[in-house]
């Protein structure tokens, strides 16, 4: 994608606070460890929050709750209709699964692949976010900055994959990253200032990572409020020329 001169971009975005670019956030997955912390971090910055979850309960006193289920397109379409009167300029997909609700965990070997479990992981981690994009991207502003960010994972990088394993989760995040690139290309035609990006939050202490925290090097596990602050910093600095790419919590690009 065409890059803009670095000095212009630094002047434009380098020192910006998130609330100087965005005023309304919609968080899909507000009941999650990272999603909940994001809602609080946005509210602290004075950004009004639409907080989406399966229960529909607002995450904080100040956020407005909405209901959605990744496996129910009608619920996503109706959430978008509810938000259309006061549309977000910042949309975050903070939902996702590593271990399924029935306890089916990530595969260590191809011998453990189960078609139904794999299908479910793709429905939740790839197709659900795509349906959110389908109904929410049209709400982003055309005349000013807009951001659609989906929480992906570094393990979705093909070129960075040296450990293998977690077949369904990895592949579902790779698929998500490809969809992000596709949507960025499409959005560029109508929304010149919109950014569509995948973000890796780091290894965060949530129920998703909890079963896999035992052998982590010291200092690698971060708490959700810190992860949210890191992600806000990255979001504040993303430029239209970054659209379509994946970034980690430091703002460094993740190779495809
Ligand atoms: N934690 C990490 O170390 C880490 C690392 C890399 C990437 N990530 C990514 O970050 C994202 C958030 O993870 P997390 O650690 O915050 O996990 P979490 O605490 O388990 O939160 C997961 C969220 O997904 C929602 N969700 C699951 N199934 C859903 C469905 N059918 N419809 C609607 N929402 C559904 C959950 O809602 P309910 O409360 O209703 O179940 C919850 O809000 C995921 O995409 C994950 O892959 C996390």
């Amino acid at each position: 994608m065409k890059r803009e001169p670095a000095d212009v971009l630094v002047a434009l975005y380098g020192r910006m606070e998130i609330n100087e670019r965005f005023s309304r956030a919609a968080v899909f997955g507000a009941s999650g460890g990272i999603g909940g912390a994001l809602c609080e971090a946005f509210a602290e910055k004075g950004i009004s929050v639409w907080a989406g979850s399966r229960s529909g309960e607002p995450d904080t006193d100040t956020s407005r709750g909405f209901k959605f289920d990744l496996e129910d397109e009608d619920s996503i379409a109706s959430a978008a209709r509810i938000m259309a009167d006061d549309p977000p300029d910042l949309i975050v997909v903070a939902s996702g699964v590593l271990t399924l609700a029935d306890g089916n965990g990530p595969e260590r070997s191809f011998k453990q692949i189960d078609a139904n479990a794999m299908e479910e992981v793709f429905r939740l981690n790839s197709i659900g976010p795509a349906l959110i994009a389908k109904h929410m991207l049209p709400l982003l502003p055309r005349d000013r900055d807009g951001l659609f960010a989906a929480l992906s994972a570094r393990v979705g990088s093909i070129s960075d994959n040296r450990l293998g394993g977690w077949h369904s989760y990895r592949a579902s995040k790779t698929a998500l990253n490809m969809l992000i690139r596709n949507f960025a290309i499409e959005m560029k035609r109508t929304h010149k200032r919109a950014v569509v990006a995948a973000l890796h939050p780091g290894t965060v202490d949530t129920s998703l990572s909890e079963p896999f925290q035992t052998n982590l090097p010291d200092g690698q596990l971060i708490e959700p409020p810190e992860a949210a602050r890191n992600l806000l910093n990255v979001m504040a600095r993303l430029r239209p020329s970054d659209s379509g790419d994946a970034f980690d919590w430091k703002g460094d690009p993740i190779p495809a």
Side-chain angles (χ1 to χ4, degrees):
M1 266 177 235
K2 187 174 165 282
R3 299 268 156 191
E4 293 166 52
D7 49 346
V8 175
L9 290 170
V10 169
L12 264 177
Y13 299 103
R15 286 174 191 81
M16 271 192 157
E17 286 279 331
I18 191 139
N19 51 1
E20 293 176 81
R21 293 183 66 192
F22 307 110
S23 56
R24 283 178 206 81
V27 178
F28 286 77
S31 57
I34 303 172
L38 281 171
C39 291
E40 282 171 24
F42 286 137
E44 274 167 25
K45 292 279 181 190
I47 293 174
S48 65
V49 179
W50 285 107
S53 63
R54 280 188 279 196
S55 73
E57 295 298 323
D59 184 73
T60 62
D61 292 346
T62 51
S63 63
R64 285 171 290 178
F66 68 88
K67 226 175 171 145
F68 83 103
D69 191 312
L70 290 162
E71 298 189 85
D72 174 5
E73 182 173 356
D74 287 347
S75 74
I76 297 168
S78 106
R81 277 194 300 275
I82 289 168
M83 285 183 261
D85 286 342
D86 187 13
D89 46 13
L90 198 178
I91 300 158
V92 187
V93 181
S95 53
V97 290
L98 176 54
T99 303
L100 291 172
D102 62 7
N104 217 325
E107 317 89 345
R108 283 188 304 275
S109 162
F110 50 75
K111 293 175 192 138
Q112 294 168 329
I113 285 176
D114 172 275
N116 292 329
M118 188 175 233
E119 207 177 297
E120 176 74 353
V121 172
F122 271 80
R123 254 202 307 275
L124 296 170
N125 288 349
S126 323
I127 301 170
L131 293 172
I132 294 172
K134 172 180 169 183
H135 293 284
M136 293 299 294
L137 283 174
L139 298 188
L140 284 182
R142 286 170 185 255
D143 55 343
R144 56 191 173 81
D145 290 350
L147 172 61
F148 180 95
L151 294 191
S152 187
R154 192 187 294 284
V155 297
S157 163
I158 294 177
S159 55
D160 192 52
N161 180 4
R162 285 167 191 87
L163 279 178
W166 292 14
H167 302 301
S168 301
Y169 183 73
R170 273 184 196 274
S172 69
K173 293 296 190 180
T174 312
L176 173 63
N177 293 352
M178 176 59 92
L179 290 163
I180 289 292
R181 172 63 65 92
N182 267 2
F183 300 156
I185 291 169
E186 198 172 331
M187 283 292 280
K188 199 125 229 137
R189 297 180 197 135
T190 50
H191 295 67
K192 303 270 178 256
R193 289 175 59 181
V195 178
V196 184
L199 300 180
H200 169 65
T203 308
V204 187
D205 189 7
T206 65
S207 53
L208 180 142
S209 69
E210 203 269 333
F212 310 97
Q213 293 174 0
T214 32
N215 291 322
L216 287 176
D218 274 355
Q220 188 169 323
L221 189 66
I222 51 180
E223 291 305 314
E226 186 185 345
R229 281 194 298 276
N230 293 335
L231 290 169
L232 258 65
N233 280 337
V234 177
M235 290 181 207
R237 281 185 283 135
L238 287 176
R239 310 158 300 194
S241 57
D242 293 323
S243 197
D245 287 344
F247 297 88
D248 70 11
W249 56 275
K250 288 180 285 187
D252 291 335
I254 298 175

